[in-house]
Amino acid sequence: MKAEQLAPIGAALARLLSPHAEVVLHDTRTDEIAAIWNPLSGREPGEPALLGELAELAETDADVYGPYPKTLADGRRLSSVSAVVRDEAGDPAYVFCVNVDRTAFEEASRLLAAFAAPAAGQPRVLFEHDWSETLNELVAEFVRERGTPVDRLAKPDRLELLGRLDAAGVLSQRRSVPAVARALRISRSALYQLLGEARKEQHADPA
């Protein structure tokens, strides 16, 4: 097997992982780099392969190694895997190494971790009078409790939910009726009717 026969594999891997990885084909017989794609390390074909483990490769049946860590001269950290390509006699002929630069992935991980961090809470000065936020929270909490979508709530459930919204002061806010009707997926007239019943039940409650 010649290096030219393996070149399409190296080119395909490099194209798939570009620009985050270099792919290196080492010739074990010459201990040189036979080919390299997207050379993050700055190496070139013909340079020493520096595969000190070649003697060990000949004594083991393992053909894939890694991932294992490596570091570039500029401090970037890599995750690397190596695959041994054996000849017809079963001896190592070439070694493919794929070295992935972890920088972009580590930065993405830090960014996602920052987004996932617990929120500091809503500033009281901004949200203490935001009745629409209260409306959304109460409706969402009620739906979770019942395990039923808001548009499938039975009449007794709607009455109870309206009672909670009324007690929280949502329905006393200016222009709240259209928003509450939308949240409950009912018409304004239906809302007024249900609200009247809810308030009647509340006043009738001896508690």
Side-chain angles (χ1 to χ4, degrees):
M1 180 176 293
K2 298 181 179 180
E4 292 79 4
Q5 294 174 280
L6 299 173
I9 298 174
L13 289 171
R15 185 176 298 183
L16 175 66
L17 300 173
S18 179
H20 304 296
E22 75 172 8
V23 180
V24 189
L25 179 63
H26 300 281
D27 189 330
T28 64
R29 292 162 294 191
T30 62
D31 194 19
E32 294 180 347
I33 295 175
I36 186 168
W37 297 266
N38 192 31
L40 300 178
S41 58
R43 294 177 293 176
E44 298 179 354
E47 292 188 12
L50 302 178
L51 290 177
E53 68 273 18
L54 287 180
E56 298 179 10
L57 294 179
E59 299 174 358
T60 178
D61 293 330
D63 287 336
V64 179
Y65 298 82
Y68 53 87
K70 295 179 70 174
T71 305
L72 294 176
D74 60 8
R76 283 180 292 173
R77 294 189 296 174
L78 309 176
S79 289
S80 303
V81 293
S82 295
V84 179
V85 181
R86 298 180 182 271
D87 60 21
E88 294 180 356
D91 297 322
Y94 296 95
V95 177
F96 261 120
C97 290
V98 181
N99 305 312
V100 178
D101 183 357
R102 295 168 49 183
T103 304
F105 305 105
E106 291 175 347
E107 289 178 355
S109 178
R110 287 193 291 269
L111 179 62
L112 290 173
F115 273 115
Q122 296 175 335
R124 184 176 180 83
V125 67
L126 295 179
F127 292 97
E128 64 179 352
H129 298 304
D130 189 352
W131 57 265
S132 63
E133 186 77 10
T134 302
L135 166 62
N136 294 336
E137 290 179 354
L138 288 176
V139 172
E141 179 182 3
F142 192 86
V143 168
R144 285 195 297 268
E145 288 178 5
R146 293 298 189 272
T148 305
V150 67
D151 55 350
R152 295 185 182 179
L153 291 175
K155 182 177 179 180
D157 292 329
R158 294 183 188 278
L159 290 172
E160 182 178 346
L161 176 54
L162 279 174
R164 294 188 188 184
L165 294 171
D166 201 19
V170 171
L171 288 159
S172 63
Q173 301 299 317
R174 184 168 175 262
R175 298 178 181 176
S176 64
V177 170
V180 174
R182 284 194 302 270
L184 270 60
R185 309 287 178 83
I186 58 177
S187 65
R188 295 187 193 183
S189 59
L191 174 62
Y192 282 121
Q193 183 177 352
L194 287 171
L195 181 59
E197 294 183 33
R199 286 175 173 173
K200 185 181 297 183
E201 290 181 2
Q202 183 179 7
H203 291 316
D205 188 346

